[in-house]
Amino acid sequence: MTAAAVVAGFAIVGGGGGGAATAGGAAARANVAVRPDAAAKPNRGARKTKADENWRRLRLRQVREATENALDCAVNSYGQVRDFFLRNPCADLDRTLFTLADPAGNTFVVSVSWVRMRSKSDVRPLKELIDTDGTGSVKTVGFDLLKSQGVRFTGTPFRSRQTKDVLVVAEGAVVSGKPDPVLFEQTVDIAAELPR
């Protein structure tokens, strides 16, 4: 099975078809804690509208979208970033994985994580840590499945930004083909600006 088929299949399991996954269903498969009201907090309608506008402007086609909420950032991270969350638990985590295709048929995924910290003072050290190569990161939706199929998040392209008590982390990975590096980076930059 190709990585592209796995990404498409994962997005379907995660609620694909351009819609959001149910918080409970995807979380149960991913072994994460989910707050029942978590799905109501982020403004997914505004996010979807903004994402759709931006993808059209870049001439990208959204193949799938999977979304997941969690309360435990340590379980959903790795490396020194995981250690940070063990000492400084987050308030909640909202993640979306977009599967996109360019006009040439190249396919890539863009992961966006919105990490809301309990204390605003924890966001800056988290950003400094996550911006440092080799320190780990927040796992994407479907991290283990993507990894098992050879889809690798290498840190390029990558962007993080702080807004009050939230750190937004966006990163891309190639699924198939060879996307234009400038377009790929623009896509991740735009994803980092999507509303929570």
Side-chain angles (χ1 to χ4, degrees):
M1 182 177 280
T2 67
V6 169
V7 170
F10 170 76
I12 290 168
V13 168
T22 62
R29 287 185 294 281
N31 192 27
V32 294
V34 175
R35 185 179 66 215
D37 67 335
K41 190 163 189 165
N43 188 349
R44 292 217 177 96
R47 180 188 311 163
K48 179 159 180 43
T49 300
K50 191 72 169 167
D52 289 348
E53 290 170 3
N54 285 310
W55 305 156
R56 272 193 302 276
R57 187 173 54 78
L58 293 175
R59 298 182 50 220
L60 296 172
R61 180 176 55 89
Q62 182 173 306
V63 178
R64 300 277 185 250
E65 178 182 340
T67 301
E68 185 175 278
N69 298 95
L71 293 175
D72 190 339
C73 288
V75 168
N76 294 290
S77 59
Y78 59 93
Q80 293 174 40
V81 172
R82 180 182 183 276
D83 296 340
F84 178 90
F85 287 130
L86 289 171
R87 292 186 310 273
N88 310 283
C90 68
D92 60 54
L93 172 64
D94 186 30
R95 299 177 293 171
T96 297
L97 182 72
F98 297 100
T99 305
L100 302 165
D102 68 16
N106 301 301
T107 307
F108 54 94
V109 290
V110 175
S111 171
V112 188
S113 301
W114 293 265
V115 180
R116 189 169 62 89
M117 296 302 294
R118 293 179 182 179
S119 170
K120 185 178 175 182
S121 64
D122 287 335
V123 180
R124 171 166 281 212
L126 173 60
K127 181 177 178 1
E128 290 172 1
L129 179 63
I130 216 163
D131 285 352
T132 304
D133 286 340
T135 59
S137 192
V138 175
K139 291 181 179 180
T140 66
V141 174
F143 178 82
D144 294 325
L145 179 61
L146 292 169
K147 185 176 176 182
S148 75
Q149 296 302 313
V151 177
R152 299 283 188 257
F153 288 87
T154 62
T156 303
F158 171 90
R159 177 151 176 248
S160 71
R161 71 176 174 88
Q162 178 179 351
T163 175
K164 299 180 184 175
D165 62 346
V166 175
L167 180 65
V168 182
V169 180
E171 188 172 6
V174 174
V175 175
S176 66
K178 190 173 181 182
D180 175 60
V182 173
L183 175 66
F184 198 16
E185 187 169 338
Q186 285 177 327
T187 306
V188 169
D189 286 345
I190 286 169
E193 295 296 330
L194 292 174
R196 181 168 184 262

